Amino acid sequence: MRSETTHPRQTAAPAWRGGFGRLWSAAVVSRFGDALRGAALPLLAVELTDSALLVALVTACGFLPWLLFGLIGGALADRVDQRRAMWITDVLRGLLMAAFALAVWQDRAGIALLLVLAFALTALQTVFDNAATALLPVVVPTAALGTANGRLLAGQEAVHRFAGTPLVPVLVGAGAAVPYAVDAASYLLAAALVAGLPHRRRPAAERPRTPLRRDVADGLRGLWADPVLRGVCAATVVANTGFGALVATLVLHLTGWLGAGTTGYALALTAYGIGSVTGGVAAGRVSAALGAPRTLVWAGLAQAACLTAFGTVRSLPAAGAALAVLGFAGMLWTATEITVLQRRSPAGAIGRTSAAFRTLSISVVPLGAVLGGVLAGSLGENTPALAAAVLTGLGVVALGPAARSGIN
């Protein structure tokens, strides 16, 4: 395991100089572009086809590469210079988006091109995300990891909720290709920021010399062998199944069962975004004060309680409050989970371990979405939220052995 030189409850603010500022800026800029594309692509899809299945496949293609290439992406992230892998990946994504923007501008974009684009971008993301997870502990000291992860997540959530998505109607009004052109520019700017990070020559002991297939297996074995990582991953897998059900049916819950309408739906999502950003900012301090085990347990219990209230109380103010606390607690969970992963992964194997963790936790989201659809259609539009509450509670139970063994 990675050696710890500080007490797990010590915390420090990461210095903006020395690399973290560039890494944070690159992550935020890239997420801004992602928000534009994420909101604009479904709008384009429904213009290109009347098939609900094809529209849904555009979203599915955003998950499929994690199942196919997620573990390989993590192994590659441990073999190469993570800084170089990130900026090269962003350059490739920028070029893909620029070509797509050109196709939209010339009215040559079809639904097949959207499917290919969504698949290709996520395939590249498997390398980028795992490399970024492995690079952060190099850029900031161990004691600052919790705060650094929280600030990264908060910045990304803020631009996604309050800058990127609301700007889409304005950009689409300027031209159908404009959101994708801006997304392309965001990738290229992020690549320039990452390329300017200080270069670190990796010790020979951290460079895998085994076949790629063995590296993938090592990542899975490393995750399974550590009781803490295994427990946190199991808890996340169970909880993510519930959140897949919730997200897939959230619009039905708010506009149908709650009768909130479009305006109420937007207000509820805004409340969730405010809670998420606040949780990201507070994550480092909360984790330092409570310790990682208690932070994860209390964050999980708070989410289960909010989901229960969300699924039983028919009141828009109550729903907004529940979603705000849900976002806050969810961001605490995510930031702490990533920090634990970075601290406990073996030296030189963070990419492989994080890939195994991400692949397992993301793979259940589509399953949860199907479960949510079945529950909403057969038992009522509020039942996915209640199912998510139960599954999140079970996730806390799954976390128990890991918490008792001592998470740092």
Side-chain angles (χ1 to χ4, degrees), residues 291-379:
R294 288 183 179 178
T295 300
L296 288 171
V297 169
W298 283 109
L301 292 175
Q303 290 177 86
C306 290
L307 288 164
T308 301
F310 185 63
T312 55
V313 181
R314 273 185 161 168
S315 163
L316 180 58
L323 287 178
V325 179
L326 181 69
F328 183 90
M331 193 63 78
L332 288 183
W333 177 289
T334 302
T336 305
E337 159 202 302
I338 295 172
T339 303
V340 170
L341 177 64
Q342 290 166 331
R343 285 175 171 168
R344 296 192 64 91
S345 295
I350 297 179
R352 283 166 282 173
T353 309
S354 69
F357 193 108
R358 278 194 176 97
T359 300
L360 292 172
S361 60
I362 291 175
S363 65
V364 298
V365 175
L367 175 64
V370 173
L371 173 65
V374 171
L375 290 175
S378 58
L379 299 177

Side-chain angles (χ1 to χ4, degrees), residues 28-42 156-168 171 179-180 183 186-187:
V28 169
V29 167
S30 183
R31 184 57 179 271
F32 173 76
D34 288 343
L36 295 178
R37 184 185 73 252
L41 211 59
Q156 291 177 313
E157 185 71 11
V159 298
H160 173 73
R161 297 284 179 183
F162 309 124
T165 302
L167 193 58
V168 166
L171 295 180
Y180 311 109
D183 189 21
S186 75
Y187 278 131

